[in-house]
Amino acid sequence: METGEFNPSGNGMRSVIRGCRPLIDGGSPQISLGCRETQQVAANYGPIVGLTPAGLAPVLQSGRYFRARASMPAGATWSNMQGIDDIDARPAGGQ
């Protein structure tokens, strides 16, 4: 599953995302965060990470536009993937 693209600052400014929580009802999801600076270039994805015991994905990416990709290991038991929540985003430099 991959989310649509979003800009956490809401005004086209750069952000740093340090974590997010996938909305998936089971299994052991793996999360990768993609980012890009402009709409004219392809998104670059960071490393694939698992979840902490608190259910957060400790991703770390800096950019202007983001999307999250979630995958499940073969044979995992789950029934519903909705997206991501609890995005830990901070303003970044470089307007």
Side-chain angles (χ1 to χ4, degrees), residues 8-33:
S9 66
N11 58 10
M13 304 297 277
R14 297 186 77 253
S15 299
V16 174
I17 295 183
R18 302 184 326 165
C20 64
R21 182 184 310 276
L23 299 173
I24 302 171
D25 69 345
S28 299
Q30 301 289 304
I31 307 297
S32 180
L33 193 65

Side-chain angles (χ1 to χ4, degrees), residues 68 80 92:
N80 188 11

Side-chain angles (χ1 to χ4, degrees), residues 70-91:
S71 60
M72 291 289 227
T77 302
W78 61 277
S79 62
N80 188 11
M81 288 187 180
Q82 295 181 0
I84 59 171
D85 196 11
D86 293 342
I87 300 169
D88 181 358
R90 312 288 168 98

Side-chain angles (χ1 to χ4, degrees), residues 25-43:
D25 69 345
S28 299
Q30 301 289 304
I31 307 297
S32 180
L33 193 65
C35 69
R36 59 186 178 163
E37 293 294 332
T38 70
Q39 298 283 310
Q40 291 72 42
V41 298

